[in-house]
Amino acid sequence: MESQIIGILAALLTTFGFVPQIIKMIRTKSVKDVSIITFIQIGLGTFLWAIYGIYLRDLIIIIANSIAFMTLVLAIVFYFHYN
Amino acid sequence: MESQIIGILAALLTTFGFVPQIIKMIRTKSVKDVSIITFIQIGLGTFLWAIYGIYLRDLIIIIANSIAFMTLVLAIVFYFHYN
């Protein structure tokens, strides 16, 4: 039970980790200091983590990384929109 | 075996995901557009993922997230250095 709570908390924090960065990009409409490579690299990574979660049959890892992947796609879209 | 490769690839991509952002901060010496909340939130998240990995006895999750946590601490240090 304890590990489930930690897993869910970890998932929530990292899954929505890029939301503050996306909000900042929308607010400032400036992405000069932001690294697109970080977005792409972590986007690819979360995609593979989701697949790894499927192998492990671990729902927390699958859901967390699928949502995280979608926020990274969103971050990349906003990056090119404001770049 | 296949899942191990995917897990390791996923780990490498996300573990070093913030390195390009750190390099950009060092090169431009500017962090105006960067969100410190994203750094802190993902830093906390990777810390909890590492603990979750200990519960799962999953070495890939433990190592990946421990290193990722350290890069986030580094990113936060550079953020305040250039802010």
Side-chain angles (χ1 to χ4, degrees), chain B residues 12-74:
Chain B
L12 286 173
L13 286 167
T14 48
T15 297
F16 300 103
F18 281 93
V19 169
Q21 180 64 68
I22 291 171
I23 291 169
K24 185 156 194 174
M25 290 196 294
I26 295 170
R27 245 191 24 237
T28 62
K29 299 197 178 1
S30 166
V31 291
K32 190 175 60 57
D33 304 328
V34 175
S35 164
I36 183 66
I37 303 169
T38 280
F39 286 165
I40 294 168
Q41 189 173 322
I42 295 183
L44 264 173
T46 50
F47 180 77
L48 289 177
W49 272 123
I51 294 175
Y52 184 66
I54 293 168
Y55 274 101
L56 253 63
R57 289 189 177 72
D58 186 309
L59 212 54
I60 292 178
I61 293 177
I62 297 167
I63 296 173
N65 286 284
S66 307
I67 299 173
F69 175 69
M70 284 182 268
T71 64
L72 265 310
V73 169
L74 205 61

Side-chain angles (χ1 to χ4, degrees), chain A residues 2-3 6-7 10 13-14 16-18 20-21 24 30-35 38 41-42 48-49 52 55 58, chain B residues 2-3 6-7 10 13-14 16-18 20-21 24 30-35 38 41-42 45 48-49 52 55 58:
Chain A
E2 213 176 55
S3 71
I6 289 174
L13 286 166
T14 47
F16 300 103
F18 281 92
Q21 181 63 70
K24 184 156 193 173
S30 166
V31 290
K32 189 176 59 59
D33 304 328
V34 175
S35 165
T38 280
Q41 189 173 320
I42 296 183
L48 290 176
W49 272 122
Y52 183 68
Y55 275 101
D58 186 309
Chain B
E2 211 176 60
S3 73
I6 289 174
L13 286 167
T14 48
F16 300 103
F18 281 93
Q21 180 64 68
K24 185 156 194 174
S30 166
V31 291
K32 190 175 60 57
D33 304 328
V34 175
S35 164
T38 280
Q41 189 173 322
I42 295 183
L48 289 177
W49 272 123
Y52 184 66
Y55 274 101
D58 186 309

Side-chain angles (χ1 to χ4, degrees), chain A residues 53-77:
Chain A
I54 292 169
Y55 275 101
L56 253 63
R57 288 191 177 72
D58 186 309
L59 213 54
I60 292 179
I61 293 177
I62 298 167
I63 296 172
N65 287 284
S66 307
I67 298 173
F69 174 69
M70 284 183 268
T71 65
L72 266 311
V73 169
L74 204 62
I76 292 167
V77 167

